[in-house]
Each structure stands twice: as structure tokens, then as C-alpha cells.
């Protein structure tokens, strides 16, 4: 006899919960053992039922789904929680995965992907569609690049950081020399060293580096 997978639903819309029950009811091995309409109820009911799978919406009243997810994972590290949400942007994908979700399924794709998500999560893996995997990997790469850039920035001297800031704001070498009371040749030497250290070849790349890494130094200007 096939083992029964006990599933709990947490969504504040009764129609969505009913639709999920109908969908899950098509599989004899799935049983919906509980339903919650808000975050506090979801937390209480999960502790009471300890289901095999929790299908959790993010946008819940009283306590949002991310907080519910964190609370459950803190007490039940092995909890298998699939986040079902209408949000598909990078911010939400990162938030639910970092909070400990075992899977992420957009509501628009529930008919096609929920079964696959449940079976994947039951095997101990994390479920993401190719679309969300791409978003997550791109986000990780962006973060990795920025951390590398900031590490390079930390290696610059105080004078180099100061000159970099002036260059990014559009000051000429002559104007920078006047501001810092140093020769144009000295400014140019610092600029050349900056380009070597930051691995760029053009002034426009220096400007892009400062802006993309949010390195503008407000204290430089009165």
C-alpha cells in the first residue's frame, strides 16, 4: 500500500484552499490534514499536526508567511515547506529560500508544478523551476561580483579613494589637483594606479564602478 503524504495548507483565501484540495485530491497518496487562514493559525496548527508537507502562502494576515516559515524552521529544522505565492520577483525568491523554504511555486503555475514540487521535496531536495533557478543564480553572481569589487575598493589608499570620487563626479585632472593641492602629474599617477588596481582601462569604467557599487563619498563635498 502506498504511503500517505499528509499535507497542510496555509492561505487566507478560502477559494484557493478549496482549489488546492481538489488538485491534491486527485492523488490517492495525498491527504490534506489541515487548513489555516492566517499566520498565527498556521503556526499553531503546524505544531499540532506536524504534517509531511506545508504549502504556505507568503501574504498572510496576523503573521506573514516568511515569519511563519522562519518560526517553523527554527523549531523543526527538517520541516518541508513549499511556498506558493503570486510574487515572482528576485526579492521574494531570495527571501523564501534564505528563510528555509524547500520549494517555491508561483500560483500561476500551480496546476503544472505543484505535484513535481511535492515529490521533489519529499525526496529531500529543494524545488525551483528553471525560471526561479536562473533568477537565484543571477542574484548570487551579482552579489559575488559586488563583494569582489568592494574588496578591491578596500585595498585603495585614502588618497586614491578621494581621487576616484572626484573622477566619478566629472572633475578634470587639473580641477582635482587644485582641490587637493597636488600637481596634475601626481593626480594622473594616482589615476593610473586606480585603473590597474580596479582592472579598468577607461575613465567611464571608473565612473560605472563607483555608481554600480554605490561608493559615492558624500563627505568629500561641502
Amino acid at each position: 500500500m502506498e504511503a500517505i503524504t499528509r499535507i497542510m495548507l496555509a492561505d487566507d483565501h478560502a477559494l484557493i484552499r478549496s482549489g488546492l484540495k481538489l488538485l491534491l485530491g486527485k492523488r490517492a497518496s495525498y491527504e490534506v490534514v489541515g487548513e489555516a487562514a492566517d499566520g498565527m493559525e498556521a503556526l499553531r496548527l503546524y505544531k499540532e499536526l506536524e504534517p509531511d508537507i506545508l504549502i504556505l502562502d507568503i501574504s498572510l494576515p496576523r503573521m506573514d508567511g516568511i515569519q511563519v516559515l522562519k518560526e517553523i524552521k527554527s523549531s523543526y529544522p527538517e520541516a518541508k515547506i513549499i511556498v506558493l505565492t503570486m510574487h515572482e520577483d528576485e526579492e521574494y525568491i531570495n527571501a523564501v529560500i534564505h528563510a528555509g523554504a524547500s520549494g517555491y511555486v508561483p500560483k500561476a503555475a500551480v496546476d503544472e508544478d505543484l505535484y513535481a514540487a511535492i515529490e521533489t521535496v519529499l525526496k529531500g531536495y529543494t524545488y525551483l523551476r528553471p525560471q526561479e533557478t536562473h533568477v537565484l543564480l543571477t542574484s548570487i553572481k551579482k552579489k559575488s561580483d559586488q563583494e569582489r569589487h568592494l574588496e578591491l575598493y578596500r585595498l585603495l589608499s585614502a588618497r586614491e579613494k578621494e581621487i576616484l570620487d572626484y573622477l566619478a563626479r566629472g572633475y578634470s585632472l587639473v580641477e582635482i589637483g587644485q582641490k587637493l593641492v597636488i600637481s596634475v602629474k601626481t593626480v594622473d599617477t594616482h589615476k593610473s594606479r586606480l585603473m590597474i588596481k580596479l582592472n579598468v582601462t577607461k575613465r567611464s569604467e571608473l565612473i560605472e564602478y563607483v555608481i554600480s557599487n554605490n561608493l559615492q563619498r558624500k563627505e568629500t563635498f561641502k
Side-chain angles (χ1 to χ4, degrees), residues 75-95:
S75 300
Y76 304 89
E78 302 303 315
K80 294 177 172 59
I81 302 173
I82 297 172
V83 169
L84 187 65
T85 177
M86 67 178 63
H87 304 290
E88 298 185 49
D89 57 289
E90 180 181 317
E91 176 187 353
Y92 283 97
I93 296 170
N94 274 308

Side-chain angles (χ1 to χ4, degrees), residues 12 36-45 58-68 71:
D12 60 330
D38 64 62
M40 294 295 288
E41 185 181 11
L43 194 57
R44 178 192 63 77
L45 200 56
I58 288 180
S59 304
L60 293 174
R62 297 181 69 199
M63 179 187 289
D64 69 74
I66 296 292
Q67 189 58 42
V68 172
E71 291 282 345

Side-chain angles (χ1 to χ4, degrees), residues 102-141:
S102 304
Y104 182 99
V105 178
K107 286 184 176 178
V110 65
D111 289 346
E112 298 86 6
D113 295 296
L114 188 57
Y115 293 149
I118 291 171
E119 294 305 315
T120 300
V121 167
L122 284 173
K123 292 174 183 176
Y125 301 114
T126 298
Y127 180 84
L128 289 172
R129 301 183 308 162
Q131 298 94 313
E132 283 77 45
T133 301
H134 174 74
V135 170
L136 196 62
L137 290 176
T138 301
S139 174
I140 291 171
K141 184 179 182 300

